[in-house]
Structure formats: structure tokens, C-alpha cells
Amino acid sequence: MKRLILFGAPGSGKGTMGELIQRDFGYARISTGDILRAEIELGSADGLKARAFMASGGLVPDDLVVELVRKRLLRGDLDGGYVMDGYPRTLAQAVALSAVACSSEKAIFIEVSENEAVDRLLSRLTCRECGAIYNLKNKPPRREGVCDICGGSVARRSDDTAEAVRRRFQVYGERTLPVIDYYDKAGVLVRVDGSGDAARVYDRLKERVA
Ligand code: ADP
Ligand code: ZN
């Protein structure tokens, strides 16, 4: 089965591109951020462990995330291909993923300036139920506070605050940039200009991935 991996800074559009790929290619989508937020909503033991790390903008420990992904990969819906967003984020996670066979793999690096990314994060709204992404400025939900897709409640993510965003960028630079380098050296990295509106970015991405 085919595997696409989305990389990029917080606010680079990984989640939005993942949703578009899911719809357009019919791929399964695996977002560790969404999986972790769902565990927190459930109040599970894993959610309780993850919560403080996420709120501060730090990373959830590798063993916990690797185990959640391992379980997700067993669900049996991956034969048509799958796209991962937010994973792997550390070298240890990349090594764990490399043990999972696939027929072809591409890592897509969505490049955007820190200013544009921070701007997006601070005006972003997210559905608590399904993870759909909105934006106060250019893509608000049709009814304020209500998800167009599932009717769930739409609000600012608790880690989309100036302080947590700063920490997320720092962690991204220290822990995730080396992972991007790892895929570059493996010869499977594709760079996509992530500036501007989502439809345009997606057109560029498709051109590079097709
Ligand atoms: P963003 O990329 O905008 O920071 P995500 O939804 O991908 O948003 O991640 C939100 C938070 O969830 C991260 O800051 C981190 O705490 C946690 N997280 C998500 N994926 C991982 C992962 N692969 N490893 C460790 N922590 C993760
Ligand atoms: Zn929703």
C-alpha cells in the first residue's frame, strides 16, 4: 500500500492537505494530533498522559505515540493507501515507522514562513468532534461555533495560544527538522510551497505527488 507523510511547521497546513488527500485520493488519514485529542476527549489513560505535554506545546513521549499509531495501523482500512499527518515527528518515530512495510513512500514537506504559519494558527478554529479546520478570517463555519460537517462544537484549540505556539515551533526545529532531513537523504522528500490559500497549495502538492 502507498504511504504519504506530511511534514511542516505548526500552521503549515498539514491537517488541511491531509483532509484534501483523503477526500481526493480516497486514502485513509492518520493524524496523531487528532488521535491524541480524541483520547483526551474520551478521558482515557493515554489521553490523561498526553494532555499536559500537548497543552504546553511539547511532544507527547515516543512510546505512547508509537503504540497509538501501531494500534491505528491494525484497523485494516489502509489497502487503498494512507496519508500521515503529524507523524513521525522524531527520529525514533521515523525508525518505528520504517519497520511498517509499504509499496511506495513519499514525504511531503510543506514550506511556509513562520509569520504566515503563526498568523493562521492564531485565527484557526477546529471542530472538537471531527477535527475539521476553519479559520476566523477566511473560512468561518456557516453557523458560528458549529461544524459544517458534523454539527460538533468549533473552537480555538487550547494549544493555539501565543505561548504554546512559540514552544511548538521550537520543538519542531529541534526534533522534527532532523526527521525531514532523514527522508531527504533517503531520496523520498518532495518540497511544496505552502504559502497562500489551501486550494492553490493543494494544486501544487498534487503536481508534485502524482
Ligand atoms: P501542529 O502540527 O499544528 O502542532 P498537531 O495536531 O499535529 O498540530 O499536534 C498537536 C500536538 O499533539 C503537538 O504539539 C504534540 O504535543 C502532540 N503530537 C501530535 N503528534 C505527535 C507525535 N507524532 N509525537 C509526539 N507528539 C505529538
Ligand atoms: Zn466536525
Side-chain angles (χ1 to χ4, degrees), residues 8-12 14 31-34 36-37 50 53-55 57-62 65 69 85-90 93 121 124 157 159-160 168:
S12 60
K14 299 184 295 293
S31 158
T32 43
D34 284 356
L36 290 163
R37 280 184 288 276
F53 295 104
M54 292 175 75
L59 289 183
V60 175
D62 283 332
V65 180
V69 170
D85 129 32
Y87 187 90
R89 246 175 158 97
T90 65
Q93 293 175 13
L121 289 174
R124 172 164 81 175
R157 243 169 64 179
D159 60 345
D160 284 344
R168 280 155 66 201

Side-chain angles (χ1 to χ4, degrees), residues 126-134 146-154:
T126 307
C127 174
R128 287 218 176 80
E129 301 298 325
C130 75
I133 299 158
Y134 300 90
V146 180
C147 178
D148 295 353
I149 298 164
C150 79
S153 83
V154 169

